[in-house]
Amino acid sequence: MALDPDRRTQLLRGALDTCLLALLARRPTHAYDVVVQLEKQGLPGVGYGTVYPLMGRLRRQGLVTERTEPSPSGPPRKVFEVSPAGAQALTEWTQQWVDTTSAITGLLASAGALDNPEVSPSVQS
């Protein structure tokens, strides 16, 4: 069976906001740089058209702040930064992620699904 890219998209959709907060907690930056960082971290295919609206939603929720900075070329850029509420959300969401993925990994291991040679070794560790 071929890998289903829509399945990966659905899995990522539930975790992308946590990923964005984690990247912004490391350093404030603009949405394009977040896309580049996601790709460097092994999450290619997450485009600006996905990240920018999500940044807007996080801003409306009070989890990130936004400021405008001059750009060395072109129009000014919006730079996003994690707010105190965003830092708290990141802590909570990270714990939820760890708890959930640990439970799922345990279930897969106990069911023998991780013994399948077709499963990537990075998933098994």
Side-chain angles (χ1 to χ4, degrees):
M1 177 184 214
L3 293 178
D4 180 0
D6 289 338
R7 174 80 177 142
R8 185 167 196 251
T9 299
Q10 290 300 319
L11 289 170
L12 185 56
R13 184 168 293 161
L16 192 55
D17 52 2
T18 305
C19 294
L20 296 184
L21 286 179
L23 290 173
L24 293 174
R26 186 170 28 186
R27 72 180 163 87
T29 192
H30 51 91
Y32 178 79
D33 185 52
V34 169
V35 171
V36 170
Q37 292 304 314
L38 289 168
E39 188 167 314
K40 285 181 180 178
Q41 294 294 321
L43 298 172
V46 179
Y48 186 77
T50 299
V51 169
Y52 198 78
L54 185 51
M55 290 290 213
R57 190 184 78 183
L58 293 171
R59 184 186 50 75
R60 287 188 301 277
Q61 292 173 326
L63 303 178
V64 299
T65 59
E66 173 187 310
R67 68 179 185 273
T68 303
E69 288 186 354
S71 173
S73 61
R77 294 191 266 197
K78 291 182 181 179
V79 174
F80 297 93
E81 184 172 4
V82 173
S83 70
Q88 182 177 349
L90 176 59
T91 298
E92 293 170 8
W93 295 354
T94 299
Q95 188 60 56
Q96 289 173 350
W97 176 259
V98 169
D99 293 346
T100 302
T101 57
S102 294
I104 291 170
T105 300
L107 181 148
L108 293 172
S110 69
L114 296 181
D115 297 333
N116 183 339
E118 293 181 28
V119 173
S120 169
S122 65
V123 172
Q124 296 178 23
S125 47

